[in-house]
Amino acid sequence: MKKLLCLIGHPVKHSVSPSMHNKAFETLKMNYVYLSFDVYPGNLDDAVKGLKAIDVRGFNVTIPYKEEVIGYLDHVDLIARRVGAVNTVVNSSNSLIGYNTDVEGVETTLRLNSIKLYDEEIVVLGAGGAARAAVFTFLSHSPRRVTIINRTFEKAKEVAREFNPEICRPEPLTRKSIQESLKNAYLLVNATPVGMKPGEDASLIGKDLLNPDLTVFDMIYNPLKTKLLSYAEEIGAKTVNGVDMLVGQGAASFKLWTGVNPPFKLMRKTVLEELKTSGQFEGES
Ligand code: NAP
């Protein structure tokens, strides 16, 4: 009998995670199958209890449940607790253990794109779960400053206070704060859904605020080239999309569930093929 893995979230209809994992399982001839389940608001408790009752090997959690799911788990590892969000759960002898592999997704992105953060200034747009995973990861690289710009200023303040108030500086989402923060920045990160399909014509930052010395990392992978990345490319800045992060977090989850080294290149190729062929949708990991 195949062991079950799955994704829970809302919506999950267009997720590329099932293709990414199932291709890896088929190729390595592993006895697992990965499905996705749309869990409607109010049903998370029942969904997690059900998954435990049927003894799944594990599951991924995506928007909007990465924080809420913590309340239904038996243990949460230190990094996930620090980040305040769980995207991967392992069922170990009927005990549900939560992890955050988005942190490894960000780390993978830095490594594959030769992004070195020591003594550099970083600007992060957003203060949600993905931004928190990014700030957590960036701080381990000893940057000079991490500016967190968020629409709800209070949340930016909270992240800065919680992670490292000496290095992190919260800012409200205004043209002036963006302009000031980007002056000496090396890395700009979009950790908001602004620019994601079907809203691909939007960007929180206009072309006039970017400069060629910047590296721009947009966590969005659908579309592969967001408006923000198009602007960055046009002015000659380095651009990085969300694919390496998506595959990095997926590969780390794969290893946690199976103990087997993930076929990273195959998973990345599968994701790119899927995104290029399926085209027009709004998707989550
Ligand atoms: P989240 O927890 O819901 O946080 C969303 C953040 O975006 C919040 O800071 C929110 O600001 C801000 N935001 C939302 N709509 C906005 C708007 N119209 N204008 C300005 N700010 C806006 O979501 P998340 O989990 O952090 O995910 C954020 C993005 O990262 C998504 O696009 C997701 O697809 C992407 N992501 C990618 C990967 C990957 O593997 N590549 C992994 C995780 C996430 P407020 O606080 O004001 O609401």
Side-chain angles (χ1 to χ4, degrees), residues 146-149 153 155-158 160-161 165 168-172:
V146 181
T147 303
I148 300 151
I149 300 180
F153 185 36
K155 268 173 72 183
K157 285 198 223 167
E158 210 177 290
R161 204 168 39 232
C168 299
R169 184 181 63 186
E171 288 288 342

Side-chain angles (χ1 to χ4, degrees), residues 62-64 66-67 87 102 105 109 125-132 149-153 155-156 173 190-194 196 204 217-221 241-250 283-285:
T62 190
I63 284 177
K66 287 185 185 181
E67 284 116 45
N87 76 325
D102 282 338
T109 305
L125 302 172
R132 291 175 66 92
I149 300 180
N150 197 45
R151 180 176 62 178
T152 309
F153 185 36
K155 268 173 72 183
L173 181 62
N190 178 36
T192 80
V194 178
M196 188 161 85
L204 285 178
F217 166 31
D218 197 328
M219 288 189 182
I220 292 170
Y221 50 83
N241 64 24
V243 168
D244 290 335
M245 179 171 172
L246 174 69
V247 182
Q249 63 79 33
E284 283 305 329
S285 61

